[in-house]
Amino acid sequence: MLEPPRAVAAGARVEVIEFFYYGCPVCYEAQPHLARWLAKRGAAVSLRRVPAAFTESSESFARTFYALEALNQIPRLHWPLYDTHHFDGKALNEEKNVVAWVAANGVDRQRFVELWHSEQVQAQVEAAKKALDAYGIKGVPTFVIDGKYVTSARLAGSVPHMMETVEYLVERAAGERTK
């Protein structure tokens, strides 16, 4: 439990923050579990993804995430980016490789590069770093539920148990919101 709890958006939807890193094999393992869970939960939760920017390599991935988000390409390319990095040996944490990859996937190369180097994306990366500190995140994948509860694959013992814990904590937080 986070002490003190962090502020979240008001309303009926429970906020779930996923701290992740494209280079993390456990984060990659979690993606199908998370996708199935989200399909069941639907509009009951508000998922916010925050890329962990612990190192230069992870900062590169954070830039990629925010550039793709600005281009509304996360729904289409989030999971394929994991696949390509982990199984195709493309080293998408390197700018030249990720630029070639997004262009091959129908993204405007020039616009992506502009965004990747933009002040907007740099500010988002800095905000992600601050969020890591504010929530005390030391590893990924880690989920924060409604500004109060924290779980991770390490804490839960496995990815499936982590998602069971996320579900339990979402239910608990939803019940607390209705009181």
Side-chain angles (χ1 to χ4, degrees), residues 63-165:
R63 287 180 166 286
T64 296
F65 174 80
Y66 288 122
L68 289 173
E69 187 177 61
L71 294 166
N72 199 31
Q73 294 296 317
I74 289 298
R76 186 171 72 87
L77 294 177
H78 184 67
W79 199 343
L81 196 148
Y82 273 113
D83 272 339
T84 303
H85 180 75
H86 286 276
F87 289 107
D88 294 346
K90 300 278 188 195
L92 296 182
N93 55 316
E94 296 177 18
E95 182 183 1
K96 66 180 176 19
N97 295 343
V98 76
V99 168
W101 182 78
V102 297
N105 280 279
V107 174
D108 180 315
R109 175 189 302 261
Q110 182 177 342
R111 185 69 185 126
F112 177 82
V113 170
E114 287 170 4
L115 284 164
W116 205 87
H117 289 283
S118 71
E119 288 181 22
Q120 168 193 336
V121 164
Q122 183 59 40
Q124 289 173 301
V125 169
E126 293 305 317
K129 288 177 182 179
K130 287 179 181 161
L132 290 167
D133 288 340
Y135 288 95
I137 306 302
K138 302 294 183 216
V140 290
T142 297
F143 288 83
V144 175
I145 294 84
D146 232 25
K148 297 178 193 170
Y149 306 109
V150 179
T151 192
S152 67
R154 185 184 56 76
L155 289 171
S158 70
V159 168
H161 288 130
M162 174 183 70
M163 293 314 301
E164 290 168 6
T165 304

Side-chain angles (χ1 to χ4, degrees), residues 14-55:
V14 173
E15 179 185 71
V16 176
I17 303 173
E18 175 198 15
F19 288 93
F20 74 96
Y21 165 53
Y22 284 119
C24 167
V26 180
C27 295
Y28 176 63
E29 177 189 346
Q31 290 311 296
H33 297 274
L34 178 58
R36 283 191 297 276
W37 179 77
L38 281 171
K40 284 192 300 190
R41 292 305 283 167
V45 298
S46 170
L47 177 69
R48 181 165 58 108
R49 290 183 167 114
V50 177
F54 295 121
T55 65

